[in-house]
Amino acid sequence: SLLKSYSANSQVVTLLMRMVWLGRIASLKEETKALATSPSTPRFAGISAIRAMGAVATQEDVEELRTRFLHEAPELRRDWFGEIVEISRPSANTVSWLIEAVGKAAPKERYSTDNLTDAVSGFVEAAPIESLPELAVGLNRLLELAPYIEHRVCDVSAKHAWLTKPATIGVERLIRDRHEAALEEASLGVLHKFRALRDWDDDLHELKSEFARLVPEWRELNRAAFW
């Protein structure tokens, strides 16, 4: 009743969606879904509605949300995107969706709060090991798209450089598992880009010591990475 009475008041709608989310009020699933899937929903009300969907909706509902979001605009909003990733379970279907969607994500704004990088990184950390080769191929392809940060010095896509962190997390998992995909072109490409970018991005410093230790420990990988 309150959602209908105050549908034009974004602050009230945001508060009510938070109540649905935290209270897991499943009887309001359809109202929540309508707000979460509408591009006209105000920013923070939409974020709360997406979180509420994660609490009260079925995986089929979340799949519909992902599909609608992917095709709603040529450039996808990073804040809503991050929330949708957070409520998505890693699977063959969601991996394919993620790769396609990150290619359409709006550029990351420097010095701004952004949850999408962490959301995608968490997705890669939770993905089954058999999904990581596909993720490595897809993310490496995006990291290779020009224009670059600095041609010949840092040949990493300026627009998609933010994907380096989740890409390296996936490759690190492949290396730890001694998966054969760690020796393939996509994984080696991610390693190369990480080396090129690590002096440009403070967020990657925490991964530096792990690769410095893991790669030399695997002689075949160390040789392949060198050449």
Side-chain angles (χ1 to χ4, degrees), residues 5-168:
S5 299
Y6 296 96
S7 60
N9 188 317
S10 63
Q11 290 182 314
V12 173
V13 173
T14 300
L15 174 61
L16 294 173
M17 282 295 101
R18 281 182 57 81
M19 293 174 69
V20 173
W21 169 37
L22 298 174
R24 298 181 177 274
I25 307 175
S27 58
L28 287 175
K29 185 189 80 169
E30 292 306 318
E31 289 84 351
T32 301
K33 183 177 175 181
L35 287 166
T37 56
S38 173
S40 62
T41 301
R43 178 188 178 190
F44 293 110
I47 289 173
S48 293
I50 293 168
R51 292 174 180 175
M53 277 198 70
V56 304
T58 65
Q59 283 302 302
E60 289 74 18
D61 293 320
V62 178
E63 173 69 25
E64 182 181 342
L65 170 63
R66 286 193 295 266
T67 301
R68 288 194 181 190
F69 179 73
L70 178 63
H71 298 104
E72 77 172 26
E75 193 171 85
L76 303 178
R77 294 172 288 184
R78 295 181 68 88
D79 49 2
W80 282 31
F81 191 178
E83 297 296 336
I84 294 172
V85 173
E86 289 278 3
I87 66 170
S88 298
R89 296 177 185 171
S91 67
N93 287 337
T94 52
V95 165
S96 298
W97 170 84
L98 182 73
I99 292 171
E100 186 175 359
V102 292
K104 296 178 63 177
K108 182 179 180 181
E109 294 183 14
R110 200 173 185 184
Y111 308 124
S112 64
T113 302
D114 187 319
N115 74 327
L116 182 56
T117 303
D118 289 339
V120 175
S121 297
F123 183 97
V124 174
E125 287 177 340
I129 196 75
E130 58 268 19
S131 297
L132 295 180
E134 181 183 355
L135 281 166
V137 170
L139 297 178
N140 183 60
R141 175 177 53 80
L142 291 169
L143 288 168
E144 290 181 340
L145 296 179
Y148 302 124
I149 290 175
E150 186 74 37
H151 186 47
R152 298 184 184 279
V153 178
C154 186
D155 286 340
V156 179
S157 173
K159 179 180 179 181
H160 300 296
W162 64 275
L163 291 170
T164 304
K165 183 176 180 180
T168 52

Side-chain angles (χ1 to χ4, degrees), residues 203-220:
D203 290 341
L204 297 179
H205 288 173
E206 64 193 67
L207 297 174
K208 181 177 180 180
S209 60
E210 290 301 317
F211 279 112
R213 178 179 62 83
L214 290 171
V215 174
E217 285 179 351
W218 188 357
R219 184 175 180 181
E220 189 178 5

